[in-house]
Amino acid sequence: MSARVLFLGGNGMIGSAAAREAAERGIDLTIVTRSAPRRPVPEGVRLLTGDVRDPAALAALLGDERWDAVVNWVAFTPKDLDGHVDYFGERTGQYVFISTCSVFARPVPLLPITESTPRRQPVFGYARDKIACELLLEEAYREQGFPLTIVRPFHTYDETTVPVLAGWTAIERMRAGEPVVVHGDGTSLWTLMHSSDFARAFVPLLGEGHAIGEGVNVVSGDILTWDQIHLELARAAGVRSPLLVHRSSQTIGEEIPGWDEVLEHDFRHTMLFDTTKLQRLVPGFAPQVSFAEGARRVVRHHDEHADARGVSAELAAAFDRLAAR
């Protein structure tokens, strides 16, 4: 008998990749989304429409169905978890909360990052709220035996996403020989993971008893500098010598509203991960999509889809001003 798994949300980039992987493995998967799916749902997957943040509506939709694992992809604040401990505590063998590696303190006090690295984020709202969710659910695990597993992705991408803040604007500027701004000196270290690799690491955790009560960082372990990330994207776009201009995160934040917080509290810091726990829980896992290959997929997809090639004139003007400073 195949495992029964419920996805609350999960039609985004990594959720849809996980759904494909689960379907290929023969898992009996149900997905609940509030609106029509933006991405294709695999054949054989049951799709229900409902608001997973409304406890009464969710209970009416699902009734007394029971699950081997429930995955919450769309809880971003503790309010989003209202009623989940009481309702799912008796109806699932595992409740998987999708958090983020952005919960870890910056700068990281000791590298590489492990699951026991201190969590602290007093400013960056997204990460601060995810910490609050983790703490709420951990208390339910300790006090009530709630079958919690916390999964923390880091920076994931697929062919639809250019994994730099400037998005496709950076690619078009590199192709045009125009300067692209990289924060710092371009040598801080970062980790990227293709969504298909995330799915291959994640799905085996569903129904895994050894993961109950644990937090697991689902990351690739690859090491890239920000210059390398830009250079691989340039190479995939047919640009041999892109014009990369380095400016401090503070200077960039002064010119581009909205970038200051994410640069100050996330992207400017070196992020290296120890994947020992993931390897122990998912023996033999290894990423299959190098960033060189991932970059080629990104550029190919955008070149084939004109509606994906959005360029921001405002951002381009900011890059020009930064290059001239």
Side-chain angles (χ1 to χ4, degrees), residues 4 9 18 27 33 57 65 79 153 193 229 282 293 302 308 319:
R4 299 193 76 231
I27 288 174
T33 61
E65 291 193 57
K79 178 68 175 174
M193 189 178 206
I229 292 169
V282 188
E293 170 59 24
H302 284 74
F319 274 13

Side-chain angles (χ1 to χ4, degrees), residues 154-155 190-194 197 217-224 273 275 278-279 285-287 289:
F154 187 50
H155 193 164
W190 200 248
T191 297
L192 293 171
M193 189 178 206
H194 194 273
D197 282 330
N217 300 336
V218 179
V219 296
S220 70
D222 286 348
I223 300 172
L224 298 160
F273 293 88
T275 60
L278 178 61
Q279 295 289 341
F285 169 73
V289 182

Side-chain angles (χ1 to χ4, degrees), residues 184-242:
D185 62 1
T187 62
S188 59
L189 302 177
W190 200 248
T191 297
L192 293 171
M193 189 178 206
H194 194 273
S195 63
S196 63
D197 282 330
F198 172 87
R200 279 189 283 271
F202 171 74
V203 171
L205 294 171
L206 302 180
E208 172 54 67
H210 290 110
I212 302 298
E214 296 284 356
V216 186
N217 300 336
V218 179
V219 296
S220 70
D222 286 348
I223 300 172
L224 298 160
T225 68
W226 279 104
D227 271 3
Q228 285 176 318
I229 292 169
H230 284 80
L231 290 170
E232 286 291 359
L233 289 167
R235 188 174 295 112
V239 180
R240 301 185 68 176
S241 300

Side-chain angles (χ1 to χ4, degrees), residues 244-314:
L244 302 183
V245 175
H246 299 97
R247 297 291 182 266
S248 72
S249 296
Q250 181 179 355
T251 300
I252 295 170
E254 291 170 357
E255 286 285 355
I256 307 175
W259 283 28
D260 53 346
E261 187 173 271
V262 70
L263 286 175
E264 175 67 21
H265 300 289
D266 206 359
F267 278 31
R268 77 182 183 91
H269 297 280
T270 283
M271 300 293 286
L272 304 178
F273 293 88
D274 182 315
T275 60
T276 300
K277 182 182 280 191
L278 178 61
Q279 295 289 341
R280 190 168 69 246
L281 290 168
V282 188
F285 169 73
Q288 297 181 13
V289 182
S290 68
F291 186 60
E293 170 59 24
R296 288 190 288 270
R297 295 184 188 183
V298 167
V299 172
R300 182 166 59 246
H301 172 84
H302 284 74
D303 281 342
E304 293 173 353
H305 296 84
D307 60 341
R309 298 195 298 272
V311 173
S312 168
E314 183 178 355

